[in-house]
Amino acid sequence: METGQQARRTTVLPWISTVARLGLAAVWLIAGGLKIGDLAASGRAVNAYQIFPYDVAKVIGAAQPFLEIALGLLLLVGLAVRLSAGISAAFLLIFIAGIVSAWSRGLAIDCGCFSSGGELGAGASPVYGWDIARDAGFLVLAGFLLWWPRTRYSMDGVLMGDEQ
Amino acid sequence: MSKATKDRAAQAKRIVAEQKAKERRRVVTLWTSVAVVAVLVIAGLVGWGIFAGQEKDNAGSVTTPPTAVDGGTAFARGEGPVTIDIYEDFMCPICHEFEDAAGPTITQLVDAKKVTVNYHPIAILDRYSTTEYSTRSAAAAAAAAQGGKFYEYHETLFANQPEEGSAGLDNAKLIELGKDVGLTDQAFADAITNKTYTGWATKVTDTASGSGVTGTPTVLVAGKKLDNPSAQALTAAVEAAAA
């Protein structure tokens, strides 16, 4: 027996989740798409955090745009949404940790979140607070999907027989 | 059939259906999760593979200019005891400002035979032009060095620095600027047209990144990085290094 409230939850929540899923997919596709054209620059952006040795930073920088685009596509089609959201959340936490680390060490870098990043010139100030707030916003999307992974127009729905 | 029996049958049917649905969800979740992990692993490996291929291609196309010093990554000016390393990108406005502000001081130090300046033209700002001007201009500077006019050409490149986000200067303009400083021979023009030193520019950029250069201008005096490159900081650091 469903009460009216429960019925609303089961009708409305999948739609909210769908918006979150597509929003997060767009974030990854754009972030990856802006980096994939210059993998060397992407490696330099990772290197600018001065966390990894350059050779490791280069490998991370090369793999990252492809991972972001793959994750974006997986969310777009809605395959294993809970896991994809969980991996998204893990990536976002790593990115936030990286920005906090750069901030706390007084580095003046572009986070390289939606660009190839690198060190900022003299006179340009980093905007770490905004970068973190933005990533935290994306984390909310991922968190919502973790709690409520059932969405409309998803591969999961088709495979599980939810969508007719 | 009695009503009670009917109810029981319906209930049993529902339980079986629920169990089947549950089993289906379990199987689907398992295999979609495996698919997601596989896709991500493959995507990461593809990225790595493509990048490794690009690096290999570039390594095969590096022509190091014979006059380059410091492992073939820089062009030297002056013959003083204190070494100054300047990493600059001809697309970088702050490099231009630094050149305007500290250039005369550097020239004095060179003339007084106090310093040797190693200019490393690196290309980290290709995204600020639509034609990879950073790489092309660094390669053109290498061609100028082969004609014995690195410093003059370096000055004229900064004086004619294109706007960020523009198409940069085209090759014809780079050749013309060379003529203005006396690079009139065909070898200079050919090196630009044939992209002789673009692979070298990429390699120099990679070497610089590997040694911790993450931005431009990066200025080192006797191997020590200046936090805020300026004429005063430079003079002070040179005096400290010479003492």
Side-chain angles (χ1 to χ4, degrees):
Chain A
M1 291 299 116
E2 282 189 331
T3 65
Q5 205 188 352
Q6 275 173 337
R8 260 201 307 281
R9 275 170 63 94
T10 45
T11 346
V12 176
L13 273 176
W15 284 107
I16 301 178
S17 291
T18 307
V19 172
R21 190 188 99 215
L22 296 178
L24 199 55
V27 166
W28 288 128
L29 290 173
I30 294 168
L34 288 172
K35 286 174 226 160
I36 206 162
D38 193 343
L39 298 178
S42 179
R44 287 197 296 271
V46 176
N47 192 45
Y49 281 86
Q50 298 176 28
I51 292 174
F52 303 102
Y54 182 52
D55 284 326
V56 177
K58 279 200 281 193
V59 173
I60 296 172
Q64 192 188 335
F66 289 84
L67 284 172
E68 290 177 346
I69 286 177
L71 204 49
L73 291 174
L74 289 169
L75 284 164
L76 187 66
V77 300
L79 197 69
V81 171
R82 179 169 268 164
L83 179 64
S84 300
I87 294 170
S88 298
F91 278 178
L92 287 164
L93 287 171
I94 293 169
F95 295 166
I96 291 172
I99 297 169
V100 168
S101 151
W103 197 355
S104 66
R105 282 176 294 152
L107 300 181
I109 61 172
D110 180 314
C111 76
C113 306
F114 286 93
S115 71
S116 302
E119 189 169 303
L120 290 171
S125 316
V127 285
Y128 297 126
W130 283 113
D131 292 335
I132 292 169
R134 188 187 52 202
D135 281 1
F138 300 152
L139 199 54
V140 170
L141 293 181
F144 196 90
L145 286 171
L146 268 175
W147 284 112
W148 204 265
R150 284 205 201 178
T151 57
R152 303 300 305 268
Y153 305 119
S154 67
M155 286 286 285
D156 284 349
V158 172
L159 292 169
M160 288 176 180
D162 294 345
E163 304 246 4
Q164 300 305 321
Chain B
M1 244 193 298
S2 74
K3 190 174 178 294
T5 322
K6 247 189 204 166
D7 278 355
R8 264 204 304 280
Q11 204 183 355
K13 218 170 155 189
R14 209 180 61 232
I15 289 168
V16 169
E18 270 172 13
Q19 275 173 347
K20 268 188 177 166
K22 219 174 159 187
E23 174 63 12
R24 182 172 174 181
R25 301 196 82 85
R26 201 186 63 78
V27 171
V28 167
T29 304
L30 174 69
W31 287 108
T32 52
S33 299
V34 169
V36 161
V37 171
V39 165
L40 291 177
V41 168
I42 291 168
L45 290 175
V46 164
W48 186 8
I50 289 178
F51 179 66
Q54 287 174 354
E55 276 207 316
K56 202 167 158 241
D57 284 352
N58 190 65
S61 70
V62 172
T63 306
T64 303
T67 58
V69 298
D70 195 14
T73 66
F75 300 109
R77 177 176 170 227
E79 45 205 23
V82 178
T83 302
I84 299 177
D85 286 280
I86 300 178
Y87 294 84
E88 57 191 6
D89 186 316
F90 295 112
M91 193 70 198
C92 146
I94 301 148
C95 300
H96 185 192
E97 283 169 28
F98 173 74
E99 190 53 42
D100 284 350
T105 306
I106 295 171
T107 301
Q108 276 172 19
L109 291 167
V110 167
D111 290 346
K113 296 204 187 318
K114 284 185 176 166
V115 298
T116 302
V117 188
N118 289 341
Y119 291 95
H120 305 251
I122 65 173
I124 59 171
L125 300 175
D126 273 339
R127 66 183 182 280
Y128 286 161
S129 68
T130 52
T131 60
E132 303 196 337
Y133 178 72
S134 285
T135 297
R136 289 189 301 113
S137 56
Q146 296 325 290
K149 299 272 185 196
F150 173 82
Y151 185 66
E152 293 80 353
Y153 195 64
H154 152 280
E155 293 282 272
T156 201
L157 282 180
F158 278 125
N160 291 279
Q161 189 174 58
E163 290 282 317
E164 287 183 25
S166 71
L169 309 179
D170 61 16
N171 286 348
K173 181 72 181 169
L174 288 173
I175 293 168
E176 188 194 314
L177 289 176
K179 281 196 181 120
D180 295 346
V181 298
L183 290 160
T184 49
D185 59 332
Q186 193 58 34
F188 174 72
D190 287 347
I192 290 176
T193 315
N194 301 335
K195 302 181 178 171
T196 306
Y197 298 116
T198 53
W200 173 81
T202 303
K203 193 199 124 203
V204 171
T205 307
D206 192 53
T207 306
S209 299
S211 57
V213 174
T214 54
T216 51
T218 292
V219 181
L220 277 63
V221 176
K224 207 164 157 284
K225 189 182 166 185
L226 297 186
D227 286 331
N228 287 301
S230 68
Q232 292 89 327
L234 195 65
T235 312
V238 168
E239 275 167 13

